[in-house]
Amino acid sequence: MTDPHAIQPSALDQLPDRDPEETAEWQASLDAVAREAGPHRAAYLMRRTLERAEAGGIALPKLLETDYVNTIPTSAEPDLPGDPELEARITAWNRWNAAAMVTRGSKYGVGGHIATFASAAWLYETGFNHFFKGKEGDGSGDQLYVQGHASPGIYARAFLDGRLNEQHLDNFRREAGGDGLPSYPHPRRLPWLWEFPTVSMGLGPLSAIYQARFNRYLTNRGIKDVSASHVWAFLGDGEMDEPESTAALALAAREELDNLTFVINCNLQRLDGPVRANFKIVQELEAQFRGAGWNVVKTLWGSAWDELFQLDTTGALVRRLREVPDAQIQTYQTRGAAYIREDFFGKDPALAEMAKLLGDDKILECFHVSRGGHEARKVHAAYRAAVEHRGAPTVILAQTVKGHTLGEGFASKNANHQMKKLSVDEFKAMRDLLDLPIRDGDFVDGVVPYGHPGADSPEVRYLQERRAALGGPAPARRVHPVAPLPAPADRAFTSFDKGSGAQNVATTMAFVRLVKDLVRDKETGRRWVPIVPDEARTFGMESLFPSLGIYSPKGQTYDPVDRDQLMYYKEAENGQILNEGITEAGSMADFIAASTSYATHGEAMIPFYIFYSMFGWQRTADQMWQLGDQLGRGFLVGATAGRTTLTGEGLQHADGHSPVIAATNPAALTYDPAFAYEIAVIVREGLRRMYGEAGPDEDQNVFYYLTVYNEPLPQPAKPQVPGIDEGIVKGLYRFNTAESAGLGVPADAPRIQLLGSGTAIHWALEAQRLLAVEWGVAADVWSATSWSELRRDALEADAALLRGEERVPFVRRALQGAEGPVLAVSDYMRQVPDQIAQWVEQDYSSLGADGFGLSDTREAARRHFGVDAPSIVVAALARLARRGEVRATAVKEAREKYGL
């Protein structure tokens, strides 16, 4: 068995030792230090030596952990600019009003969180006073990802600034009346204040990384120089457990995103208790970020600890801090000096001697309140180090006390996340602690008052002056007035009108061909942002590689293996394609950054993200909601769509439900086009609505989801039917009739209406032929381009009726006068076409691919799910037989004829 304490071989063992004698001397010196001064001293010297080597650029493995102390020593902290006394008073007012807002709202049962901002107040205030650039200066300002549970503190500051009033604060979490404040950062609910929705844990850090990257993308492509913008993401230490929080750390380091800073509020608590009860979350995060290549700044201890570290001549204090688990640190914050003397200092003789030099007040100050995240000077030093660091992103690990200044009933208590209010006595104690001029008489009928020093007070003037110097209010969302993008030339769209002739073309390929034409448009082509998660060749997009280039901040530092081929793999610093590797989450984060660039940077970009439809909404639907919250615009494309068109890949690739998930999102316009010309009409309409001259009643802040298929089929010419474009956009039009299809059915033949979407319309067309030729039934075929848009229009019509307005749903108008029953079919579960059932006046039924997918041929899969042409015929005959329009035996005969 291998001795775990034995010296293990390393890569250096493979190299010849050019001076064995010198090597032996170094090893002997280390042995001597360990023998004479102890192993702790030897470890200290080794760490300092490794740090010196790293600072000097000597290639050695990096230390993944440092001591549990501040990265920036007190002696190296820069002077705190501005007026610290005024900043402390501003912070006190904000603490008070944040707690008052949530407490006053608690009588309505709407909840709220107090403890998070209480711990993070100085992390925000220091940034607002000295670092966060606003949007009224040059450039785009900074982008702030505010921790969702800290929103009351941000509202409190906006109240002090004059951007909110008492009525707003009283309507916290009560938005129905019109003057309310959303519980968390929600741009759709408060679009002048919030830029980024962050409360869905883990999405904030992921989005912040890709936002910083997209800033570089815009600059490198020459769209807009946003190099002065800095991205700040405020996160909780518990939030870092979400896989999305750390999924892209390596990307940020690899691309040297020094325009990005994470500020992790390490109050050591998550929602139910300690983040790492038996371990140390700060050390874990430090190792994780250092290992990923980030610059790490730890801001753990306040100035009260300086005396203790000066007394620590043996290193015993530092060692003890490294070994005490987080849950015990939390306990120290709630216990008296005697307990701390015994449990913390009493574990080591050297520490016991140190404790004799410390009074109880000093011990309580250190262990109860003195944290690096609670002191403006410490936080300022960390922020200054972050913005001045070059070549890597920075994470600041700031230790705080959850519930700080809220009183003993809150600070560090496991339950404080669920505690929504303070008593009057607790508020009075808080008032005294913060030294606020609020009188006992201001508490009328037990209601805590809001506090404000006055619009012309020194605090408010100072706050506004600091924000003016930094470029205006923050956070703030600004949609700069920009001219609508010109519409691309018609030929890019009308080229699909004539169809594909004898050539079979999949709708995935038709969409890619359309994009190829659109990116060549002189006016808008450069604004397209193609996004693909390492499947470009699957979707036939490799021809875009050499023409557009794949974005890489390093350019192409190698000779590509396929350089001699026409469609070689070309990377470029100004590349247009974002090829993210195998990460749907990263691709969606790209899409969100690009889709909101019109607001963030005043530059409208047109992202399209193409993905396996099964792996889009199913995996990243939370980010689609984030996209809707953030008012994003663009095209999501679910390729290789449907339950039965990619059957060789099996169950996990068989998408039968993405339109169902998409239909739940109010911002998503979901289309399942059958033909190439439909795709062209939908994309042109999307460009007009999102980027062009939208109508007065149209919401531009929507995004489109198109499902496209990998099955090569004939693409018909666009029918010359009046109103066809309106039907395509609204969701339904008649593609043909039995007569226009030349099927020769008699005038008195039984008739049925077949509605199909996507690839299913081809089965409906074959069923139309079989019904006419073999059963004497006339079928009209309709293309249902969007079941969900038909339903949305019908719901709006219902709402209008309740208001006393007469309005007929489009689906009812479109089908008005259509003879016979209606049979709908799609390559998705029946729930998709059934969305419109209640508004169809005719006898309505549907077919779909419900259940799990399977591996087989397309034909076998469609027979299995009962959606192929013969299955449609049998279903159609059954509906007609129930009406007495065909003989009852026809259904049995058809089943036997087709082997069903």
Side-chain angles (χ1 to χ4, degrees), residues 577-715:
I577 300 170
L578 293 173
N579 189 317
E580 289 306 344
I582 305 175
T583 167
E584 282 84 7
S587 298
M588 265 308 300
D590 264 337
F591 188 91
I592 292 169
S595 70
T596 54
S597 179
Y598 73 92
T600 309
H601 297 299
E603 295 287 345
M605 305 299 287
I606 311 171
F608 83 86
Y609 163 34
I610 188 168
F611 49 87
Y612 270 111
S613 67
M614 184 68 165
F615 303 144
W617 285 87
Q618 176 166 299
R619 287 191 175 181
T620 57
D622 199 9
Q623 288 178 287
M624 274 73 164
W625 276 97
Q626 180 188 9
L627 169 65
D629 284 346
Q630 203 166 316
L631 309 174
R633 307 168 184 173
F635 296 96
L636 296 174
V637 183
T640 61
R643 183 80 84 190
T644 69
T645 59
L646 194 67
T647 53
E649 298 286 350
L651 182 153
Q652 289 186 336
H653 287 64
D655 173 24
H657 55 279
S658 70
V660 177
I661 307 175
T664 64
N665 192 308
L669 279 62
T670 303
Y671 288 88
D672 187 25
F675 305 124
Y677 66 80
E678 293 177 353
I679 292 173
V681 170
I682 294 165
V683 171
R684 178 161 57 182
E685 169 65 10
L687 290 173
R688 180 202 65 80
R689 177 168 176 176
M690 295 185 292
Y691 300 98
E693 296 285 356
D697 297 326
E698 290 181 306
D699 183 4
Q700 283 189 284
N701 300 316
V702 295
F703 59 93
Y704 283 66
Y705 175 52
L706 282 71
T707 48
V708 293
Y709 298 80
N710 72 322
E711 186 172 9
L713 291 165
Q715 294 297 326

Side-chain angles (χ1 to χ4, degrees), residues 547-559:
S547 58
L548 301 184
I550 300 166
Y551 172 73
S552 170
K554 298 288 187 181
Q556 193 153 34
T557 61
Y558 60 92
D559 291 327

